[in-house]
């Protein structure tokens, strides 16, 4: 696995080009590694995990293929006969480690002595309330001069599953990212390319907007600002992934997209709703979440004919809030209050799943295509 950075093992094909459509050639690059890197630094043995592997159809989970030198050994890669791809997230952030695990690269810009994602996983792994709600955390390590954390691959063991990656929160940027009040022409140009009518009259005259204005505009382009969650990517068995889901914004559209995801599988829909209610209850009991803002994290949902699962992933933007600040994770965000709307979004996601019905979804236009 992993989600917003999501990684998956898939069976290698005979011909790389057959995975590519005319418009996908730039996105589906084969993941490669250098022989010298393997010879100089063999990988440590990976933790023991079940031996079952996902089916060939998971090859389509690739949105951005990895371009990262492999930490895995020749023998290990040959025995797995696999390729690794991300469902979403920053290209090159993940690499295979062993059966059932991935290495995730440290976020760019982190201070050398500070790794917020590692700290979050270590704290949550030690928390009796939350350890079952996150991928298993194994270790932090250095390879080729770069730092990684090794995590459980959540897709390992599933066969041809349904997969959905959901970005949580009404705010998916850190407060210090928007602290500079200087208006920028490059952000104005980006805004106009996305929506020529978005800038105000004053912004058109100045031909510049602040980083805060631009980031809030981006949140409003999706369902994040109003609903507290947005569907980042979906994969259905036997179909290519759905990745451009910006138009899935209104409540009826979200409900229809969720209903199509579950189809007529009431078992999976009820089980996922129950699992998300459990995660919400654990979240509310956790001391960690009482003292941290959870920015840019995702809920990763997966099910096949036999198993269902949902996990909280991605903590690169998780930060401890000042001691005098109490966050509810539901209140609206104002500069300085560190609210990010995680639980606000989770409440609405659970309600959406509980009320989604395929019969009703078929009357709603499919804007995800």
């Amino acid at each position: 696995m992993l989600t917003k950075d999501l990684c998956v093992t898939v069976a290698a094909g005979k011909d790389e080009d057959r995975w590519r459509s005319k418009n996908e050639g730039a996105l589906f690059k084969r993941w490669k590694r250098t022989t010298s890197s393997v010879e100089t630094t063999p990988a440590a043995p990976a933790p023991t995990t079940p031996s079952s592997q996902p089916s060939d159809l998971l090859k389509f989970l690739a949105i951005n293929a990895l371009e990262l030198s492999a930490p895995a050994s020749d023998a290990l890669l040959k025995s797995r006969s696999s390729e690794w791809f991300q469902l979403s997230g920053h290209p090159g952030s993940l690499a295979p480690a062993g059966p059932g695990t991935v290495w995730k690269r440290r976020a760019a810009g982190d201070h050398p002595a500070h790794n917020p994602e590692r700290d979050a996983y270590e704290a949550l792994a030690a928390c009796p309330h939350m350890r079952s709600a996150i991928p298993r955390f194994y270790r932090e390590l250095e390879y080729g001069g770069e730092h990684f954390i090794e995590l459980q691959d959540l897709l390992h063991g599933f066969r041809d599953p349904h997969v959905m990656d959901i970005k949580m929160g009404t705010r998916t940027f850190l407060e210090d990212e928007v602290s500079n009040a200087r208006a920028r022409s490059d952000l104005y140009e980006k805004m106009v390319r996305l929506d020529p009518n978005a800038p105000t009259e004053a912004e058109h005259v100045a031909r510049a907007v602040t980083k805060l204005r631009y980031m809030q505009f981006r949140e409003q382009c999706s369902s994040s600002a109003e609903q507290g969650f947005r569907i980042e990517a979906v994969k259905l068995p036997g179909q290519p992934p759905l990745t451009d889901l910006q138009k899935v914004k209104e409540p009826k559209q979200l409900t229809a997209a969720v209903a199509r995801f579950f189809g007529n599988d009431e078992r999976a829909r009820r089980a996922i709703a129950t699992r998300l209610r459990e995660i919400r209850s654990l979240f509310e009991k956790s001391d960690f979440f009482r003292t941290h803002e959870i920015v840019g994290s995702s809920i990763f949902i997966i099910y096949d004919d036999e198993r269902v699962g949902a996990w909280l992933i991605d903590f690169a933007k998780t930060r401890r809030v000042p001691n005098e600040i109490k966050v509810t994770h539901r209140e609206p965000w104002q500069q300085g209050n560190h609210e990010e709307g995680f639980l606000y979004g989770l409440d609405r996601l659970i309600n959406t799943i509980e009320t989604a019905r395929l019969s009703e979804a078929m009357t709603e236009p499919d804007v995800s295509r």
Side-chain angles (χ1 to χ4, degrees):
M1 168 233 71
L2 269 179
T3 232
K4 196 45 195 335
D5 292 325
L6 306 174
C7 191
V8 60
T9 312
V10 296
K14 296 179 181 179
D15 184 353
E16 177 184 2
D17 291 334
R18 69 190 178 101
W19 305 133
R20 300 175 179 169
S21 71
K22 180 173 64 175
N23 297 323
E24 293 171 340
L27 292 178
F28 292 82
K29 292 184 179 180
R30 189 152 192 157
W31 171 77
K32 297 180 180 179
R33 59 191 181 82
T34 59
T35 304
S36 59
S37 65
V38 174
E39 292 174 348
T40 55
T41 313
T48 301
T49 56
S51 59
S52 59
Q53 296 291 331
S55 75
D56 287 357
L57 288 177
L58 286 180
K59 58 183 172 284
F60 288 114
L61 279 169
I63 292 176
N64 295 308
L66 295 181
E67 297 174 354
L68 180 66
S69 294
S73 68
D74 279 326
L76 179 58
L77 288 177
K78 182 178 289 186
S79 70
R80 296 170 68 191
S81 183
S82 62
E83 297 173 356
W84 286 73
F85 295 98
Q86 289 176 251
L87 178 60
S88 53
H90 297 291
S93 61
L94 296 165
T101 67
V102 296
W103 285 10
K104 184 176 182 182
R105 178 185 272 139
R106 184 186 205 148
D110 280 350
H111 189 278
H114 180 50
N115 186 336
E117 188 152 37
R118 175 209 60 201
D119 295 345
Y121 273 113
E122 285 184 339
L124 292 171
C127 174
H129 297 300
M130 291 305 300
R131 64 169 64 113
S132 65
I134 62 169
R136 190 172 299 114
F137 171 78
Y138 292 110
R139 57 177 175 160
E140 182 183 34
L141 64 155
E142 181 178 349
Y143 176 84
E146 296 190 85
H147 292 270
F148 300 83
I149 55 175
E150 185 170 3
L151 299 169
Q152 174 189 5
D153 174 7
L154 295 178
L155 282 171
H156 187 77
F158 283 91
R159 294 183 179 278
D160 198 14
H162 297 67
V163 182
M164 181 177 282
D165 173 26
I166 305 169
K167 178 74 74 177
M168 300 303 299
T170 55
R171 171 174 62 92
T172 61
F173 54 87
L174 292 169
E175 291 198 354
D176 59 15
E177 292 181 69
V178 296
S179 58
N180 191 330
R182 180 178 64 87
R184 292 168 46 180
S185 60
D186 61 322
L187 296 180
Y188 168 82
E189 291 170 1
K190 287 183 177 181
M191 179 183 286
V192 169
R193 282 197 296 270
L194 291 170
D195 183 356
N197 298 318
T200 64
E201 183 177 345
E203 289 167 343
H204 276 305
V205 172
R207 300 186 63 81
V209 297
T210 65
K211 181 70 173 290
L212 173 59
R213 170 77 169 98
Y214 177 74
M215 296 301 288
Q216 289 182 315
F217 158 73
R218 289 299 303 267
E219 306 287 34
Q220 292 162 358
C221 287
S222 71
S223 59
S224 291
E226 294 296 326
Q227 300 301 316
F229 72 91
R230 67 174 182 255
I231 302 174
E232 290 279 275
V234 174
K235 169 67 180 69
L236 303 178
Q239 298 182 23
L242 306 176
T243 60
D244 185 10
L245 300 172
Q246 289 290 326
K247 293 180 180 178
V248 183
K249 178 180 178 181
E250 302 301 325
K252 286 186 177 180
Q253 295 170 342
L254 290 166
T255 300
V258 168
R260 290 186 177 98
F261 176 70
F262 287 108
N264 291 315
D265 196 335
E266 282 296 298
R267 167 202 64 101
R269 188 181 65 84
R270 289 194 298 267
I272 292 299
T274 298
R275 171 63 169 163
L276 293 182
R277 287 195 299 270
E278 177 190 22
I279 289 176
R280 180 175 61 186
S281 176
L282 295 172
F283 190 113
E284 292 173 327
K285 295 174 183 176
S286 169
D287 289 335
F288 182 87
F289 291 116
R290 291 192 186 100
T291 57
H292 288 76
E293 57 181 323
I294 315 301
V295 176
S297 292
S298 293
I299 294 288
F300 182 49
I301 295 174
I302 178 170
Y303 74 92
D304 61 15
D305 291 339
E306 298 179 355
R307 303 169 58 195
V308 298
W311 295 267
L312 175 58
I313 61 173
D314 296 338
F315 299 101
K317 292 187 176 182
T318 293
R319 299 289 188 273
R320 176 177 283 276
V321 301
N323 291 335
E324 67 276 11
I325 297 293
K326 303 298 181 183
V327 288
T328 68
H329 305 285
R330 288 189 172 96
E331 293 297 318
W333 175 68
Q334 296 178 350
Q335 188 82 31
N337 74 358
H338 294 275
E339 294 284 356
E340 82 297 88
F342 183 97
L343 288 178
Y344 174 90
L346 186 53
D347 293 340
R348 280 149 186 77
L349 175 60
I350 292 170
N351 182 69
T352 299
I353 292 174
E354 289 179 334
T355 58
R357 294 294 186 275
L358 184 60
S359 58
E360 298 175 7
M362 302 315 293
T363 64
E364 185 72 19
D366 187 357
V367 297
S368 63
R369 292 289 185 177

